[in-house]
Amino acid sequence: MVHEVVKRVEELGPELAALAEENESLGKLSDKTASLMRQIGVMRLLQPSDFGGYQAHPRDFAEAVMGIAKHDPAAGWVSGVVGVHPWELAQMDRRLQQEIWGEDPDVWVASPYMPNGIADPIGDDNFVLSGRWPFSSGADHCQWDFLGAMKGNGSGAPIMPPEVMHVVLPRPDYQIIEGSWEVVGLSGTGSKDVVVDKATIPAYRTVLQSDIAGGVAAARAGRHDTVYKLSFGVMFPLGITSAVIGICEGALATHLQIQKDRVAVTGVQVRDDPYALYAAGQAASEIAASRTQLIDGISRLYDIVESGGEPTTEDKSNQRRNQVRCAWRAVQAVDAIFARSGGGAIRKSSPMQRYWRDAHVGLQHMIHGDGVAYHSNALHMMDLETPPGMLVML
């Protein structure tokens, strides 16, 4: 059954597509785009039902993100990044959930998670935080921000061994730096830097990354639904890779529309060129395989948990390997058709070049780093010991 949010994506998709060029020009999502995304409800798919969310299957989340990205890569990217945050917030203190969603279930929370600051304890139940974080996607339309930080020792230095915290700050406690998002692709995501200067954070607005990764936080928060039992290493990459695959689907659709009536410089209509058609058919298969493999992988892990089981490290390693490969396979397919799209595709007026740039920038995200994912998975397959550093995203 198709989720109602996915249905709304297709209904409102043409309106999203019409705004894509404006978003790129603005360097952030337009207010109209953000309004359409709220109307669609994509950010509430993983939000708990007691705070106005759908508490949906992650497959539905992935399909909605792909659908949005197909029409507007920037909107899809923001959906995939910001849309996973309600999943983590559901596992945190309910006082925080009430603060964020108590009056408006459509409040969005940005990130990034990289530990660029030190959360130093002050008193019994507070931390103080300063630092600067890049890549806060969708920040202009969010009222809170998830930030990664090292847990401090009370003297401004991280404790040893280090512990990574995720802390949540309201908009008045951080500054969005204008002009910090000048990039070659995904410009419309508005993934600007945010700066924090000695903000005081109540302990209930924090969580250890290890508690989220290990499922401790969900149990502590009384969240026993299957979706909240899945690991951070499974859920965090899902939205980002879904966005990349959706971008590639949009690139394919755009390519086919252009080629249908294009006449090459040789005077041959592309529809009569068997080599161009071969490339398009092959690319379509590769992109479809990426979609199928990503959804199949998250569904398999969900089913294991739903039936009372616990995914093994190998299960999660296989999913991580496949998730990375999905993104690379889809982008490589776009490269193949872009190379056969003709000179018109490089013009700034062509959406084809924007899809191509956005797909490659999406591949730059750290969760698409293929080296460690493939290396560690090969060790698992050979029953060899995996270094602890290679288990971080599992």
Side-chain angles (χ1 to χ4, degrees):
M1 180 181 295
V2 179
H3 195 281
E4 63 181 272
V5 170
V6 178
K7 290 180 181 178
R8 284 198 293 273
V9 171
E10 289 313 305
E11 291 168 3
L12 298 175
E15 292 185 55
L16 287 171
L19 295 164
E21 187 173 349
E22 179 186 2
N23 294 334
E24 179 167 65
S25 178
L26 289 171
K28 64 178 182 179
L29 298 182
S30 67
D31 291 343
K32 176 61 175 176
T33 297
S35 176
L36 286 170
M37 290 163 67
R38 286 188 166 90
Q39 187 177 339
I40 288 168
V42 61
M43 302 303 191
R44 291 189 285 117
L45 274 169
L46 300 179
Q47 196 163 308
S49 57
D50 50 326
F51 283 100
Y54 292 99
Q55 206 163 297
H57 194 297
R59 174 193 59 239
D60 297 320
F61 174 63
E63 290 182 338
V65 171
M66 289 179 194
I68 292 174
K70 179 179 178 180
H71 294 289
D72 177 7
W77 183 269
V78 173
S79 298
V81 174
V82 176
V84 82
H85 298 150
W87 170 84
E88 180 169 350
L89 286 168
Q91 302 174 54
M92 296 179 68
D93 194 297
R94 291 190 184 230
R95 286 175 290 178
L96 175 61
Q97 297 170 50
Q98 180 64 35
E99 286 177 336
I100 295 173
W101 297 316
E103 296 183 3
D104 182 2
D106 276 320
V107 170
W108 295 357
V109 181
S111 58
Y113 288 111
M114 62 187 70
N116 277 21
I118 296 175
D120 231 9
I122 53 171
D124 294 330
D125 294 304
N126 295 293
F127 294 87
V128 64
L129 177 71
S130 296
R132 180 167 179 152
W133 289 257
F135 308 123
S136 188
S137 297
D140 289 285
H141 296 283
C142 296
Q143 295 304 312
W144 295 73
D145 216 315
F146 253 120
L147 298 174
M150 305 299 293
K151 188 173 184 179
N153 63 6
S155 301
I159 64 170
M160 291 296 168
E163 290 190 24
V164 176
M165 304 174 64
H166 295 171
V167 303
V168 187
L169 285 74
R171 187 69 169 268
D173 287 357
Y174 60 91
Q175 178 186 3
I176 299 172
I177 305 301
E178 297 299 330
S180 59
W181 185 239
E182 302 293 336
V183 290
V184 299
L186 290 176
S187 178
T189 64
S191 303
K192 303 171 184 176
D193 292 12
V194 296
V195 171
V196 178
D197 183 20
K198 297 178 181 177
T200 299
I201 305 162
Y204 71 84
R205 292 182 185 164
T206 73
V207 66
L208 290 176
Q209 180 173 283
S210 57
D211 285 356
I212 290 292
V216 174
R220 186 171 58 220
R223 298 288 183 191
H224 303 296
D225 304 279
T226 300
V227 66
Y228 302 121
K229 292 181 179 180
L230 293 168
S231 70
F232 181 82
V234 168
M235 292 299 292
F236 174 61
L238 179 64
I240 297 170
T241 301
S242 296
V244 169
I245 294 172
I247 292 169
C248 294
E249 291 178 330
L252 176 65
T254 300
H255 172 77
L256 294 174
Q257 184 63 35
I258 292 172
Q259 300 311 305
K260 185 166 59 174
D261 298 315
R262 186 170 77 86
V263 178
V265 70
T266 59
V268 176
Q269 283 196 311
V270 173
R271 69 176 72 177
D272 297 323
D273 181 345
Y275 306 108
L277 299 184
Y278 177 95
Q282 184 179 61
S285 180
E286 292 296 279
I287 294 169
S290 292
R291 165 185 274 267
T292 299
Q293 190 173 37
L294 186 69
I295 292 176
D296 176 74
I298 190 64
S299 297
R300 285 174 181 269
L301 294 182
Y302 186 96
D303 289 347
I304 290 171
V305 175
E306 177 79 355
S307 64
E310 177 71 28
T312 65
T313 302
E314 185 173 359
D315 290 331
K316 291 183 285 187
S317 177
N318 289 344
Q319 164 66 3
R320 177 85 174 103
R321 173 200 66 200
N322 292 345
Q323 165 255 316
V324 171
R325 184 61 200 146
C326 286
W328 281 84
R329 181 194 299 114
V331 175
Q332 287 166 347
V334 169
D335 283 343
I337 56 175
F338 185 75
R340 294 166 175 83
S341 289
I346 67 172
R347 298 187 183 279
K348 290 185 178 179
S349 59
S350 171
M352 192 66 200
Q353 53 80 28
R354 186 177 66 246
Y355 277 110
W356 182 73
R357 288 185 290 107
D358 290 348
H360 277 275
V361 170
L363 204 58
Q364 292 292 112
H365 195 286
M366 58 82 61
I367 64 106
H368 291 138
D370 55 356
V372 171
Y374 296 162
H375 183 165
S376 62
N377 184 253
L379 292 174
H380 281 296
M381 290 191 294
M382 292 185 286
D383 293 323
L384 297 175
E385 184 177 355
T386 304
M390 290 188 171
L391 301 174
V392 173
M393 285 303 295
L394 300 184

